[in-house]
Amino acid sequence: MATFLYRLGRLAFRRRWTVALVWLAALAAVFFASSQASGPADERFSMPGIEAQKAYDLAQERFPGATADGATAQVVFVAPDGQKVTASANRAAIEKAVRELADGPQVDNVDDPFLKKAVSRDGSTAYATVSYKVKVADVTDASREDLHEAVDQARDAGLTVEAGGEALDSGGAGGLAEIIGVAVAAVVLLITFGSLIAAGLPLLTALIGVAVSLFSITAVADIFGLSDTAATLAMMLGLAVGIDYALFVVSRYREERAKGHTPQEASGLAVGTAGSAVVFAGLTVVIALVGLSVVGIPMLTKMGLAAAGAVVVAVLVALTLVPALFGIWPNAALSRASRKATSKGERIEETAQNGGTRWSGFVLRRPVPVLLLSVVGLGAIAVPVANLQLGMPGDEAKPTSTSERRAYDALAEGFGPGFNGPLTIVVDAKGASDAAGAVQTISEEIAATKGIVAVSPAQFNDAHDTAIFKAVPSTAPTDEKTKDLVKAVRAERPGIESESGATFQVTGTTAVNIDIADKVQAALFPYLAVVMGLAFVLLLVVFRSVLVPIKAALGFLLSVMAALGAVVLVFQEGHGAELLGVDQTGPIMTLMPIFLVGIVFGLAMDYEVFLVSRMREAYVHGDRPAQAITTGFRHSARVVVAAALIMIAVFASFITETDSMIKMIGFGLAAAVLFDAFVVRMAIVPAVLALLGDKAWWLPGWLDRLLPRVDIEGEALTRRPARGSDTDDHTTDSPAEVRV
């Protein structure tokens, strides 16, 4: 591996213009393809195997055309205090608004609240449902503007009017998160490298990689059903790992140049050593992301595959474009002191002590206290996980400054908290002797269930063998009592079906969310087993040690549980929620635990590979265990810290998004990287390795013979005959050894 990558690094250096042009051509090609594409797909859930999905599929089959994919919006009208919406003036204003809404070019129809009986019992509130001819992604800004104008005119009549629904969702925060993340990353890189140009190189290559990934996703989004969320995740991860991978290669290049190697040789050595770590770190991330397909949720699988593609692009950029830029600007990546010393042929002696060696020395002197304090601290932060409640946040999780949130609150106040999440009952009366009587029996039995406050009239299909009706709970969609209610209705099903002679299933947004949560929880441990098993084998091959991969996996579990505990503290229990712009606390997004496990596992293994590979390299080259730990920290600690800070900055910047799911993911990933990089890898790892000593690198002889040798530490490169001068280096650098 090291030898192959060494040759690749030298080849990219020599063929620098060809490599650069290939990447520019790829960028232009995917940009053109994305410009011709129809855009991202709608954010539609499809959950094979759950009851709610089966009921939805049955409804689509028996009611052809009735379950169209067109976008919808709800406009809520609230009369002034002491008045009713049925008063003549208020009714006239509402009916006028309905007519204006119906005139929209993309609008299919608008339900008149007075004809559809969409008026609250106390007469204070009414709502109109706007159905569009097009999907959510195709609703134009002009259509949204038409809706807002109709709302404003109704407000001018004295009514309180708010609008909600999927049709109003026009996307995220317009790139603010990316700008913040890149800005912080630039500052960290500048401090790390001490050179503006050196700091800009990882940013430039990462942005090129992210652009290629995003344009590629956009080009195939409609074909494969990739959503905006999939693109956002790919951008988030691609930017973070793209900067980090380039950072490690650039750092190793500077180190090799400081040893007196020519630019081309240093490029080859950097890709052969740091590049090997990049390859295996990238593989762990890809394994974790592709492993999301084990869960069996198509949307999650697509998000994982899209993000995995972005990581693969980031790895390829680090291995080819970065060394090509070394060839174009061989001295640009060096610090000012190094460039000055190189031009004069002077030597700057290597500093034996730095922050990394001092910290490792502290840990080596006190491994037990450091280990106990770190484990107990992370364990304490993870305690709130015991109270974890899962759900899918909707408009209730949006800021109160949004019309969608105010519309949700108005409907809950006027019609009851359960109105925003009614249960949809799909009755299959195909085998019943009296279909109407069977549906009536089921409707009455469900209406009598404790916790159900209203049941709508049943609607039959043309064949009169299937019916659909709504059952409104007394509690909110994300309330635990609603979850218990759904389970109670399903538990009573055998008796109701026996009495009626027909079968029924429960679906609707609330039931879907409950079923998803159950499915995710059931899939979490199998997913962990698959991903951790594959990663264990990979790390076993990389480090040729049994205990190091086990330590890596256990450390990951600590960091991910602590990160999930922090998410529960903020987004569920509300501690510090206002600081992050979280107006409404509630259940944690259903996909969050398995999502956090998948992504954080890959990122955690990144730092494990980058840090421990330098320790392994030193150990293989003759250092004693404690000395190898110090050597690894001397060379890698500063760069790992910088890489972690960059990832934290990129992920934390997404907290500025208005989308509650993206906000929660950004916070969770930032917390996980913070815990994993600074507590697990910087404290627990050296403490455990110090206690294990030589045993840390133990591997049974029979297993050593079976495992392939990938040479991530570059041992083969040390046995390689010394290279002479490189005629293609186009530099006048002195071969004199320069140490920084």
Side-chain angles (χ1 to χ4, degrees), residues 305-345:
L305 292 176
V311 173
V312 170
V313 171
V315 171
L316 294 176
V317 166
L319 298 181
T320 57
L321 184 57
V322 171
L325 295 182
F326 291 156
I328 297 173
W329 300 295
N331 293 330
L334 305 181
S335 64
R336 292 180 181 178
S338 296
R339 289 199 299 269
K340 183 177 179 181
T342 299
S343 63
K344 295 181 179 180

Side-chain angles (χ1 to χ4, degrees), residues 637-648:
R638 185 183 183 190
V639 182
V640 168
V641 167
L645 289 175
I646 289 170
M647 275 204 178
I648 291 171

Side-chain angles (χ1 to χ4, degrees), residues 185 206 210 233-247 314 603 606-607 643-644 646-651 654 669 673:
V210 167
L233 174 64
M235 176 176 58
M236 188 189 300
L237 280 177
L239 186 61
V241 301
I243 295 174
D244 277 10
Y245 293 167
L247 167 63
L603 300 180
D606 267 9
Y607 297 114
I646 289 170
M647 275 204 178
I648 291 171
V650 171
F651 293 146
F654 282 85
L669 291 179
V673 172

Side-chain angles (χ1 to χ4, degrees), residues 25 55 65 179 215 235 260 271 289 417 422 439 490 526 554 604 606 610 627 649 697 702 707:
I179 295 172
F215 288 141
M235 176 176 58
V271 176
L289 292 170
V439 172
R490 288 172 173 171
L554 294 177
D606 267 9
F610 286 134
Q627 186 182 0
W697 309 107
W702 63 270
L707 293 177

Side-chain angles (χ1 to χ4, degrees), residues 13 127 153 208 248 259 376 396 406 491 536 565 570 674 693 730:
F13 186 99
Y127 68 91
Q153 290 182 14
I208 291 174
F248 280 94
K259 294 178 180 178
V376 171
E396 80 281 0
R406 294 195 298 269
F536 175 83
V570 174
L674 174 67
H730 69 73

